[in-house]
Every structure is written in structure tokens, then in C-alpha cells.
């Protein structure tokens, strides 16, 4: 039986934009048996968030030529399932794609979109002169008071979303009232995907949701003089995401009736600030846990890394451990960096592996502290096929 599980990043590891990376099919031939069943537990952990898990699973099945189920996919919004105390509240959602459907799918029952706000309050969205209301209107406002804001991913019209989200925060969820810049604390804000940039087909990285968050944080700070605060930040490198991944890997091993627990995890990615930082942060947590045999170490970890906003409070973690996620069987999570994505757009073999690590400015989120040890990859390989070979070798694993 395998004693290890694999976490694959998608963009820059398995695909570039819509184009599959050739090494991916080679890697996955080794991961499934002749019946198409995985020989080791595998999950896909992506910070993408603009579709349902099933849609992503279908895309992956198509690209990799092996059947992938939605239980193998973790999107940046998947941990929202754990935030049950918000599921009955009226939440405003921001992002693109089927955001209302995604919100309902993770458990929210009472959801309002930015478009619904625009329709009810046509005087608020003024940046695009062509979209301003032509005639004075007196719409019937029958929206309930908004109680929390959920940011799924980068929206299409940034100016509209920035304006209306700031409006909601400054009016405490009631857009019929005027701005109160002295409101403290502001409404609860949950954000998925902190990636500043991501790599598509273009030569240079593209704006990600992290760039949108930078805008929102800075506008809020400029207008109110106070820091915008997150109730939770999820998606890599947040530990919440890795807790989920570990749980799904453990579930797969149980379903397959592999008798020995999965103790090692390997996270394969192309981004130092998300994949490598996140895996190393989770590894620190697992090591502390082993050392102390105390799940509360996670709270101390959060304090030590300055990522307190990224994990829920201690109380919530306790109930979370007891309920859905139980206790991890993994005792380590090793990071493996590939050079087919953000760090090597031309996909050339690096003469010196350190060529991959050129980060001189910190592209991580405001609430995560830069710690050089956390962006140090455990291993550097050319591509995902190289990663699988290396891991099999490390684990002395020979598929039957
Ligand atoms: C919103 O504010 C307006 C104006 O202050 C007030 O008349 C209205 O009752 C409030 N609505 C809610 C749902 O609190
Ligand atoms: Mg990536």
C-alpha cells in the first residue's frame, strides 16, 4: 500500500492556460493502474475558483485522460463549507462565473450578487459613463441587509465591484443609508484566492484575485484610515486548504481499504508564494503537532507566522477537528517545485536549479509574513513527470 499522498497544483503544473503540459500525461500514466484506478491518493488543489468542483474534475479528466472525481478537487472556495455560522446569513458575493451557484453549493442559503445590488441601487455604479442610468429612476429596494461579504475571485468590472463592496462595508450592509467611516468593526469579509498573479499563455504573469484584494485593502485604508480585516483567507497558502486536502487524501485511502495510514504528503506546484509556502507552512504545523501531540498548536503556528487572519479562531478549529476533518494521519508535507509555470515561462531546463528562485519582492498577501524558510522548496524538478519519478524513488514505491 502507498504510505503517501499527492497534492497537485493545476495551472503551471498540468496546464498552461488551456494547453496541457506534455509531462502531465506522462506523469498520470504512472499514477493509475490498467483499470484507470489511482495507485496512490491524489488531490488537485487549485486557487482557481470560477467554476464548480465537478466542472474542474471533468476538465481534468479530459486533459489527463484518466477519470477524476469531484472529491479529488479542492478549489479556493471549498473551505467555505466549514464556515457554517455564515451559511444562514445574507451574503454579498463577488467574482465571475456561476458565483451564485458556487455559493449555494458550498452551503450559503441567502446570497446577493453585485448585479442584484446594481439593479436595486442604480445610482451607485458611476465609473463607466455609458452604464450610468439614463433616466432618473426610483427603484423598489427590497433587498435584505447584507451581513457578510464573500470574495470568490477577480470580478470582470473591477470598478463596479470595488465601489459597491466599499459601499457595503461603509454602510454596514444597508445601501439605503450613507457612508459611516467610523464603523468598527466592519462586516465580516471572507476571501478566497490571494494570488497576486497567475501564469496563462502570455509570456508574463496576469493579474489575479490578490491584485484585486490589494486594491480593495488600499481603498478601504485610504477612505477610513483603518485596516481592512478578513474573517478568513482561503486558498493556498492558507492552512485551511491543506487541512481539507489531507482529509480528502485520508478519505481516499480509507475508501480503497488501504490499511496503513498515509503519513507523507507531497505538494507539487510552480509558485513559491502559494504552493511552496503553503506546503511548508502546513508541514510546520504537522511537525509541531507531532512534537506536541496537541492540535491547538495550529493556533500558535498562526500567531508565529503572522497569518492569524488565515485560520479561524481556536474555538472554531476545535469544533472543526471534532467534526468534519478529525485528526490528520500525515506527519509531513514536502514541497516540490516544477519549472513549467510562473518561474520558467520558456520551459527551458534550468542550468542551475536556483534559477527558479528569483523572488526579490514579496508577492504574498498582506497578512502573511515573508519568511525565507517557507519559500524554500524541498525539491526542484523540471516538470510534473520528474516530480512523480522523484517521489516514487523517495518512497521506494513500485506500482504493481
Ligand atoms: C436602511 O437604512 C434606511 C435609511 O436609514 C432605513 O430607512 C431602512 O429601514 C434600513 N433598512 C434596513 C433593512 O435596515
Ligand atoms: Mg500554479
Amino acid at each position: 500500500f502507498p504510505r503517501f499522498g499527492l497534492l497537485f497544483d493545476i495551472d503551471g503544473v498540468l496546464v498552461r492556460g488551456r494547453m496541457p503540459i506534455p509531462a502531465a500525461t506522462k506523469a498520470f500514466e504512472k499514477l493509475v493502474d490498467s483499470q484507470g484506478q489511482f495507485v496512490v491518493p491524489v488531490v488537485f488543489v487549485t486557487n482557481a475558483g470560477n467554476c464548480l468542483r465537478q466542472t474542474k474534475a471533468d476538465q481534468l479528466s479530459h486533459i489527463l485522460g484518466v477519470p477524476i472525481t469531484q472529491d479529488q478537487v479542492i478549489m479556493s472556495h471549498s473551505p467555505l463549507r466549514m464556515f457554517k455560522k455564515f451559511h444562514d446569513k445574507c451574503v454579498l458575493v463577488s467574482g465571475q462565473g456561476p458565483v451564485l451557484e458556487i455559493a449555494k453549493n458550498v452551503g450559503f442559503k441567502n446570497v446577493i450578487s453585485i448585479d442584484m445590488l446594481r439593479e436595486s441601487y442604480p445610482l451607485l455604479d458611476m465609473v463607466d459613463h455609458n452604464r450610468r442610468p439614463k433616466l432618473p429612476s426610483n427603484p423598489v429596494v427590497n433587498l435584505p441587509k447584507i451581513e457578510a461579504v464573500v470574495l470568490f475571485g477577480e470580478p470582470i468590472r473591477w470598478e463596479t465591484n470595488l465601489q459597491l463592496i466599499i459601499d457595503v462595508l461603509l454602510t454596514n450592509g444597508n445601501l439605503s443609508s450613507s457612508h459611516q467611516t467610523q464603523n468598527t468593526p466592519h462586516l465580516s469579509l471572507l476571501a478566497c484566492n490571494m494570488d497576486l498573479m497567475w501564469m496563462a499563455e502570455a509570456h508574463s504573469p496576469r493579474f489575479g484575485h490578490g491584485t484585486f484584494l490589494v486594491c480593495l485593502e488600499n481603498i478601504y485604508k485610504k477612505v477610513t484610515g483603518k485596516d481592512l480585516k478578513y474573517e478568513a483567507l482561503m486558498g493556498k497558502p492558507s492552512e485551511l486548504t491543506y487541512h481539507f486536502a489531507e482529509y480528502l487524501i485520508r478519505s481516499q485511502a480509507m475508501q480503497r481499504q488501504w490499511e496503513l495510514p498515509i503519513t507523507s504528503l507531497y505538494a507539487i506546484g510552480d509558485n513559491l508564494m502559494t504552493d511552496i509556502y503553503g506546503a511548508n507552512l502546513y508541514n510546520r504545523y504537522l511537525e509541531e503537532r507531532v512534537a506536541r501531540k496537541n492540535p491547538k498548536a495550529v493556533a500558535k503556528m498562526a500567531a508565529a507566522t503572522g497569518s492569524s487572519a488565515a485560520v479561524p479562531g481556536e474555538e472554531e478549529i476545535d469544533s472543526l477537528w471534532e467534526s468534519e476533518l478529525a485528526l490528520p494521519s500525515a506527519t509531513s508535507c514536502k514541497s516540490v517545485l516544477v519549472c513549467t509555470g510562473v518561474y520558467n515561462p520558456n520551459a527551458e531546463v534550468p542550468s542551475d536549479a536556483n534559477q527558479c528562485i528569483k523572488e526579490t519582492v514579496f508577492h504574498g498577501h498582506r497578512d502573511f509574513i515573508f519568511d525565507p524558510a517557507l519559500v524554500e522548496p524541498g525539491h526542484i524538478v523540471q516538470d510534473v513527470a520528474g516530480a512523480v519519478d522523484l517521489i516514487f524513488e523517495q518512497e521506494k514505491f513500485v506500482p504493481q
Side-chain angles (χ1 to χ4, degrees):
F1 307 122
R3 302 291 310 273
F4 63 101
L6 306 177
L7 289 72
F8 288 97
D9 174 42
I10 300 175
D11 286 305
V13 175
L14 307 175
V15 296
R16 270 288 286 274
R18 281 159 196 269
M19 296 295 291
I21 290 172
T25 28
K26 228 171 94 190
F28 276 77
E29 276 166 17
K30 293 181 186 162
L31 291 173
V32 293
D33 62 20
S34 50
Q35 279 93 55
Q37 279 216 311
F38 278 93
V39 295
V40 297
V42 166
V43 291
F44 301 89
V45 188
T46 176
N47 274 355
N50 53 2
C51 67
L52 295 168
R53 289 164 94 195
Q54 186 61 58
T55 313
K56 193 52 98 182
D58 294 344
Q59 285 171 6
L60 286 169
S61 306
H62 180 72
I63 289 166
L64 301 172
V66 296
I68 312 288
T69 68
Q70 67 164 349
D71 294 330
Q72 289 176 286
V73 179
I74 299 166
M75 316 276 291
S76 61
H77 50 71
S78 301
L80 283 168
R81 276 165 213 282
M82 296 190 307
F83 289 83
K84 294 210 161 72
K85 70 171 176 174
F86 291 101
H87 289 177
D88 291 317
K89 294 200 168 159
C90 176
V91 299
L92 172 69
V93 296
S94 164
Q96 57 180 295
V99 279
L100 293 176
E101 202 186 340
I102 294 166
K104 295 204 165 128
N105 201 264
V106 295
F108 294 102
K109 296 180 190 80
N110 200 350
V111 189
I112 289 179
S113 67
I114 296 283
D115 281 339
M116 288 157 74
L117 281 190
R118 276 192 80 244
E119 275 166 36
S120 293
Y121 298 93
L123 298 177
L124 299 181
D125 184 18
M126 287 288 129
V127 178
D128 182 344
H129 294 211
N130 293 325
R131 293 223 304 168
R132 288 180 182 178
K134 298 283 182 293
L135 299 164
S137 58
N138 221 347
V140 187
V141 177
N142 51 11
L143 292 179
K145 191 171 173 293
I146 293 165
E147 297 166 287
V149 179
V150 180
L151 308 175
F152 278 108
E154 64 279 13
I156 297 174
R157 292 176 174 270
W158 287 33
E159 78 283 3
T160 299
N161 288 51
L162 288 169
Q163 175 75 72
L164 292 179
I165 293 164
I166 292 286
D167 286 333
V168 165
L169 294 173
L170 295 184
T171 58
N172 208 26
N174 178 357
L175 290 180
S176 299
S177 56
S178 50
H179 284 187
Q180 302 282 325
T181 51
Q182 300 314 310
N183 273 340
T184 40
H186 60 69
L187 288 182
S188 293
L189 182 63
L190 298 103
C192 313
N193 182 1
M194 302 157 254
D195 287 0
L196 192 70
M197 308 271 187
W198 66 288
M199 202 70 197
E201 289 97 334
H203 295 299
S204 308
R206 303 293 84 203
F207 285 171
H209 193 214
T211 306
F212 181 79
L213 298 180
V214 168
C215 299
L216 188 67
E217 289 156 14
N218 283 287
I219 295 167
Y220 187 84
K221 176 87 182 189
K222 193 76 180 170
V223 172
T224 66
K226 299 188 189 86
D227 283 328
L228 187 70
K229 292 214 167 62
Y230 296 94
E231 174 91 18
L233 281 165
M234 56 204 88
K236 294 174 287 189
S238 159
E239 283 161 275
L240 282 171
T241 298
Y242 291 84
H243 289 309
F244 246 126
E246 195 278 343
Y247 166 74
L248 292 182
I249 282 179
R250 202 156 17 100
S251 312
Q252 280 179 38
M254 260 154 48
Q255 268 171 21
R256 298 287 295 278
Q257 298 178 322
W258 288 329
E259 279 147 27
L260 297 171
I262 301 294
T263 52
S264 310
L265 301 178
Y266 292 86
I268 300 132
D270 66 317
N271 190 322
L272 291 175
M273 259 325 300
T274 54
D275 305 308
I276 305 306
Y277 186 110
N280 291 345
L281 186 64
Y282 186 60
N283 185 58
R284 270 192 192 175
Y285 160 73
L286 291 175
E287 282 180 355
E288 283 226 354
R289 202 179 153 266
V290 172
R292 294 168 193 233
K293 295 253 185 286
N294 176 7
K296 282 185 183 159
V298 73
K300 293 202 184 72
M301 269 300 303
T305 56
S307 61
S308 56
V311 291
E314 204 166 305
E315 213 173 277
E316 224 167 307
I317 284 169
D318 283 346
S319 61
L320 178 156
W321 286 123
E322 282 157 19
S323 57
E324 287 173 58
L325 301 190
L327 294 162
S329 66
T331 53
S332 76
C333 179
K334 300 193 178 80
S335 54
V336 183
L337 181 68
V338 296
C339 301
T340 47
V342 172
Y343 279 90
N344 198 338
N346 300 321
E348 286 161 3
V349 182
S351 52
D352 170 5
N354 287 326
Q355 193 180 315
C356 282
I357 309 162
K358 278 192 186 152
E359 194 145 68
T360 52
V361 288
F362 180 55
H363 281 180
H365 186 267
R366 184 197 71 183
D367 296 350
F368 285 72
I369 281 168
F370 180 71
D371 175 349
L374 289 176
V375 293
E376 184 96 15
H379 302 278
I380 303 175
V381 292
Q382 170 57 23
D383 56 29
V384 64
V388 168
D389 288 344
L390 174 99
I391 295 162
F392 278 13
E393 198 183 297
Q394 295 253 316
E395 292 287 328
K396 302 185 174 48
F397 182 75
V398 183
Q400 306 296 306

